[in-house]
Structures are given as structure tokens and as C-alpha cells.
Amino acid sequence: MKKSKDLDQYRFRLEKLEKLKEKKINAFPAQAERTHTIKQALAKFEKLAKNNKEVTILGRLKSLRLHGGSLFCDLEDASDSIQIYLKKNKLGPEKYNLFKNNFDIGDFIQITGLLFKTKRGEETVLVHDYKLLTKALMPLPEKWHGLSDTEVRFRQRYLDLIANPEVKAIFEKRSLIVRAIREFLDRRGFLEVETPVLQSIPGGANAKPFKTHHKALDIDLYLRIAPELFLKRLIIGGFEKVYEIARCFRNEGIDHSHNPEFTQVEFYWAYADYEDLMQLTEQMIGHILDSLKIGPKIKYENRTIDFKAPFKRISFNQALKKYVAIDLDKIKNDKELIKKAKNKGLEIEKNEQRGSIIDNLFKKLIRPNLINPTFVIDYPTEISPLSKKKATQPNYTERFQLIAGGQELTNAFSELNDPLDQKERFMAQESLRKKGDQEAQRIDESFIEALTYGMPPTAGFGLGIDRLTALLTNRHNIKEVILFPTLKPKK
């Protein structure tokens, strides 16, 4: 709901709109002309001013200052801002008063004029002519106070972008990160592809999906939780390097590191294993930091994180032993594991299974301690249904996660390509579902069938772009790096 002060402004501006209509002025024309962006005009300022070359620029009015028979305004486009100067004796009384009495901060305008410097040395445009492009009917957030209400910032991101230039810079960096990832993979021969968002069986991760119904086919479908199983079908089909920058959806809780819809890059690399992936991950992170012109040391939540390669490595079981004094190889049964987990302060839900307990021990008691980038390797088979078992340790898999700043950034592994083993793992997951685990994976018979035609040794990788962006821009909440995060609607 609009505040009473804003409602007053709204009515006041509607009156101005009516006056413009009476004067046959279109407040929302379709066409605009421009000779220079503001940045271009400023870059060529001396030459344009010296040659008395007129410029036509466009933008939003960010301030209005009355000074006798003249007006000073700040005009801003996507590239920069510049001061403009309107004189009554230059425009004529009628045109000057029309602007003075009917234009407001927030309006989009087109102006034509000459560049000059004021006595204070300010680069300015003397306006010869102007055109209204859009009449703003609501006031912008106050310039000097900005927009600090987090709820308003996320719900009305457009106001956040207008009021807080640093927010716009975050999303420009996010775009650079995505571009850097594409450049890195493209240069190494990976093919960018697209796979279905609507899936009949959600797979590729342990997560609860969103469900919908297709009327024409009369079938239930799910928004994908990951593109993994379809990307691996492409490896089976003969591609050796594929990737997708994928929007994914998980029907899970919302917190500082989770949003129901998020973006990740997944790639699959035939004839490689998780050792190859760790080297490539270090190279990719280095390339991203170089593209942003930062690092290898970055600041995050008053800590310094050093991304200089090679990254530290620790096995999953070594991490458990180091941080919570639990050795999975010596745990005799689930009862003993539950007792040890409870002694460490972990809450255990009724009928919670071994894999979930192990996973929560890591997420809640170990991961927050890993600040500098660390490859946690060799995850237990129970929590890695799509990973290949280690030949020498069948209770563990060739899987790793890159943890930095206490957060999971990547999940990667040597892919399970044995269709018989994969079916057994899916059946074990299905058993967990029957016991109440809504995030357990389902049996995907069509994927198992695809594996029977043969998939070469393959390494698979997933990187959360939202979390990486938050880390590299020093933002604790991923809502800060998602333009339109999921929020509960206002009543």
C-alpha cells in the first residue's frame, strides 16, 4: 500500500499529467533520439565543447534545483550522469515554465544542447530543446536516505536499483561471472545445450520438487531439480563435453543460502574423473576472479579467503574425525551413530536414516569451519547415489564438494555409469522415500535404460552461481544477488 505522502505525490503528478494532455503533449511517446550516451558525451567533452557540437542525450531526472530564472538538473542514463542547465531566456518563457511547473524527479526526458563548464568547473549541458519521454507518477526514494528497508528492496527491486548504485554493481558482476564461466567452458570445447525444465521424474539431486499438471497430456510433471540425468544422456549419445547454465527449482526452505529457484552451471566431461575435475575447478575459479579483476584474496564477512591454487583437500571421514571426533569406519551400527550425533548436539528426527544423519553432521558441524577453499573428497556411498564407488574403498565414492566461506559452492564426482549399480542405488533411495524421506531420489527407468547402451567414464560438475556471486560480492544473503527472490505475497 502506498504511504499517504506518496499518495499525495501521486495525485499531484496526475494533475500535472492532465495539464500536459491539455497542452497536447504526449507524456508517453514511443520514439526517442540520441546522439551520445552520457558516458560518451563526457568522454568527448572537451572536443564537443570546443567545436560547439550539439548533443542529444536521454535519461531520468534525478534532481531539480531552481536558481533564479534558471534550472539545474542531474540527468542519469545507464552509463553515467551529467548536469543539465535550463535558462528561461534560452528556451523562452513558455517552454521554460512548462518544464519548471510540470516536470518532476523520476521523469525520463530527451534533451539537446551544447556542452560547457560552469564557473565551478562542472561539466554541463546547456539545454536548447527537450522532450518528455515518460512521466513518472510516483516519487523516487529520497536521494540522501536511499532505500534501506530490506523487505521493500527485495519486493521492489527496481527502486533498489534506482536508489542504491552498489546494488546495480552486484548484478553487473553477476553477469560477468556467468560470462566468464561460458568463456572458460567454450574455450575448452564444451558445448552449451538446453535440457527439459518440465520432467516426468525429477532426478539428479536429493530434493523435494515442485509439481504441476499438463492438461493436454493429462500427466503430472515436475520442475527440474537438476539437469544432470538429461546431460548424461547426451554423453551416452556421443557428445564428450556438454554444459548448461540451468535454472533449477527445489521445494525447500528459504534461508540465507537457499532460494526455491536458483541458477547453476552443470557440465559433463567424458573420459575424465574427479581428479581431473578438481584441477579444472581451480582453473575455472581463477579465470572468474581474473575476469572480475579481483583475488586471489577476497574479503567475505570480515574474513579473508585465499583462492590461490592448489586448494586444500580433506576426505569426508577425515573431516568428521577432525571436527566432531566421529570415525565412520569404526561406527558399528546406526544406533551408535545416532548416540554420537546426539552427543554432538545434533537433533535427530524420528526415523531419520543413516545417510541423512551423516549429511547433517557435515552441513551443521563441519562445513561452517571451512573458510578457505577446501575440496572435501570421498563422500559416503549412502549420500552419493549418482557417484562412482572408490575401487579401494567401496563405502565411499569419487565425489567432492568445494567449500569456501563455510558454504558449498560445487558438487562434483566421477559419474556412476554401471546401470546395474545405478538401479540398486535408485532402489535404495526409493526405500528411503517409503520411510518418509521426501528428498530421496526416484527410480528413473528410462535413465537406467540409457545407461545400458553404455556411457564412457565421465566426470560431472555443478556450481551454484547465486552462492558464488554472494561470496565474491561479500553478501551474506543470496537474496542480495537474485534480482527477484521468492517472497511470500503481501495480503
Side-chain angles (χ1 to χ4, degrees):
M1 177 179 279
K2 297 180 177 69
K3 297 176 181 178
S4 59
K5 182 181 176 182
D6 290 344
L7 281 172
D8 290 341
Q9 273 284 322
Y10 180 70
R11 296 188 190 102
F12 188 51
R13 293 185 180 211
L14 278 179
E15 291 174 5
K16 291 183 179 182
L17 180 62
E18 288 304 315
K19 290 177 183 176
L20 290 168
K21 288 179 180 178
E22 290 171 6
K23 296 179 181 294
K24 308 298 182 186
I25 294 172
N26 184 357
F28 304 97
Q31 282 143 357
E33 296 177 6
R34 173 158 60 183
T35 61
H36 299 75
T37 65
I38 293 175
K39 185 176 182 179
Q40 289 168 342
L42 291 171
K44 300 176 181 178
F45 187 90
E46 299 296 337
K47 183 178 180 181
L48 291 168
K50 182 180 179 181
N51 295 330
N52 287 324
K53 181 74 173 178
E54 274 195 340
V55 297
T56 298
I57 57 177
L58 317 171
R60 186 195 289 271
L61 284 171
K62 297 302 290 286
S63 71
L64 287 165
R65 303 178 296 280
L66 187 60
H67 186 73
S70 57
L71 272 171
F72 285 93
C73 311
D74 289 321
L75 189 66
E76 181 180 276
D77 67 7
S79 68
D80 212 327
S81 62
I82 195 169
Q83 180 172 263
I84 65 172
Y85 179 43
L86 295 92
K87 291 181 66 176
K88 184 185 289 188
N89 59 9
K90 184 70 178 177
L91 288 169
E94 184 178 352
K95 194 142 193 174
Y96 175 82
N97 288 325
L98 177 71
F99 190 102
K100 174 186 168 185
N101 296 326
N102 297 287
F103 283 47
D104 294 291
I105 293 172
D107 291 353
F108 283 90
I109 65 169
Q110 169 185 310
I111 64 114
T112 299
L114 294 175
L115 301 173
F116 78 102
K117 285 188 179 179
T118 65
K119 292 179 181 179
R120 294 182 178 180
E122 297 168 302
E123 294 170 323
T124 306
V125 184
L126 175 61
V127 179
H128 295 168
D129 198 8
Y130 65 80
K131 176 183 178 181
L132 179 62
L133 298 178
T134 300
K135 181 66 187 165
L137 301 180
M138 286 291 291
L140 300 181
E142 293 181 33
K143 177 180 178 182
W144 305 115
H145 299 290
L147 187 67
S148 57
D149 186 310
T150 302
E151 180 79 6
V152 175
R153 288 182 54 237
F154 294 157
R155 288 190 186 280
Q156 296 176 278
R157 182 67 85 183
Y158 49 91
L159 293 182
D160 191 23
L161 294 167
I162 293 168
N164 300 315
E166 69 277 10
V167 172
K168 188 178 178 185
I170 289 170
F171 290 102
E172 289 171 343
K173 283 185 179 178
R174 180 186 172 114
S175 180
L176 286 174
I177 289 168
V178 174
R179 188 185 307 168
I181 291 169
R182 276 199 169 97
E183 287 174 350
F184 180 85
L185 294 173
D186 289 346
R187 288 175 186 174
R188 283 157 180 79
F190 284 82
L191 178 70
E192 184 172 9
V193 298
E194 293 179 334
T195 61
V197 173
L198 291 174
Q199 301 180 355
S200 57
I201 298 176
N206 287 62
K208 186 178 178 182
F210 288 95
K211 184 177 180 180
T212 187
H213 186 80
H214 191 278
K215 291 183 179 180
L217 296 176
D218 193 24
I219 58 171
D220 288 336
L221 292 170
Y222 302 87
L223 296 181
R224 70 174 169 205
I225 55 177
E228 177 167 344
L229 301 187
F230 282 93
L231 289 171
K232 286 196 275 195
R233 285 173 169 91
L234 297 180
I235 298 294
I236 294 166
F239 291 108
E240 293 187 2
K241 293 180 177 180
V242 294
Y243 78 94
E244 182 171 10
I245 295 177
R247 198 73 166 171
C248 297
F249 308 84
R250 297 181 184 177
N251 198 354
E252 58 192 6
I254 297 176
D255 59 28
H256 75 280
S257 62
H258 293 86
N259 191 66
E261 55 177 315
F262 60 97
T263 305
Q264 64 173 333
V265 57
E266 282 202 21
F267 69 76
Y268 292 82
W269 180 13
Y271 310 111
D273 66 6
Y274 80 144
E275 288 285 348
D276 299 313
L277 279 182
M278 281 185 264
Q279 293 181 32
L280 197 69
T281 301
E282 290 170 341
Q283 294 167 13
M284 176 185 279
I285 297 296
H287 177 74
I288 292 169
L289 293 176
D290 288 345
S291 297
L292 294 176
K293 296 180 172 58
I294 61 174
K297 292 183 179 180
I298 68 163
K299 291 289 184 182
Y300 181 70
E301 294 184 348
N302 299 318
R303 288 171 163 162
T304 299
I305 300 177
D306 189 351
F307 277 98
K308 184 178 179 180
F311 301 157
K312 179 183 175 183
R313 297 188 186 190
I314 186 172
S315 76
F316 190 96
N317 200 35
Q318 285 172 337
L320 282 177
K321 288 191 285 187
K322 178 177 179 179
Y323 291 102
V324 293
I326 292 177
D327 186 345
L328 290 179
D329 294 334
K330 294 181 179 179
I331 296 290
K332 297 173 184 154
N333 50 52
D334 290 355
K335 187 176 180 180
E336 183 183 350
L337 176 64
I338 290 170
K339 182 179 178 180
K340 286 182 176 291
K342 284 183 175 179
N343 287 340
K344 296 299 176 181
L346 193 71
E347 293 184 10
I348 309 295
E349 295 183 7
K350 185 179 179 181
N351 298 323
E352 189 168 0
Q353 302 300 305
R354 176 185 174 88
S356 176
I357 296 169
I358 293 170
D359 196 33
N360 284 326
L361 276 169
F362 177 75
K363 288 178 178 177
K364 296 177 181 179
L365 302 180
I366 299 172
R367 193 167 65 189
N369 297 293
L370 304 177
I371 304 305
N372 275 320
T374 303
F375 288 125
V376 179
I377 66 173
D378 302 345
Y379 277 60
T381 305
E382 297 99 320
I383 57 174
S384 309
L386 297 165
S387 311
K388 183 169 286 191
K389 292 177 182 177
K390 289 179 68 69
T392 56
Q393 294 175 285
N395 290 335
Y396 298 94
T397 62
E398 294 189 1
R399 174 188 174 193
F400 73 83
Q401 289 186 332
L402 176 62
I403 311 297
Q407 297 186 63
E408 172 199 335
L409 297 181
T410 73
N411 188 30
F413 34 85
S414 301
E415 297 292 338
L416 178 57
N417 60 344
D418 178 344
L420 304 180
D421 189 358
Q422 182 65 83
K423 185 163 187 174
E424 286 182 11
R425 306 269 197 102
F426 276 153
M427 289 174 70
Q429 287 285 302
E430 194 66 43
S431 176
L432 292 177
R433 284 186 61 79
K434 291 176 181 177
K435 293 176 181 178
D437 185 352
Q438 293 185 323
E439 294 188 351
Q441 297 195 39
R442 303 175 185 188
I443 298 176
D444 189 334
E445 295 287 357
S446 66
F447 176 66
I448 295 169
E449 180 185 4
L451 282 178
T452 63
Y453 289 92
M455 185 174 82
T458 299
F461 170 98
L463 166 68
I465 289 173
D466 308 311
R467 288 182 187 169
L468 180 64
T469 303
L471 190 73
L472 298 183
T473 58
N474 195 15
R475 292 297 182 273
H476 177 68
N477 191 333
I478 63 166
K479 288 187 177 71
E480 296 281 1
V481 300
I482 298 173
L483 277 168
F484 301 102
T486 305
L487 300 168
K488 189 174 183 177
K490 286 184 175 183
K491 291 183 179 179

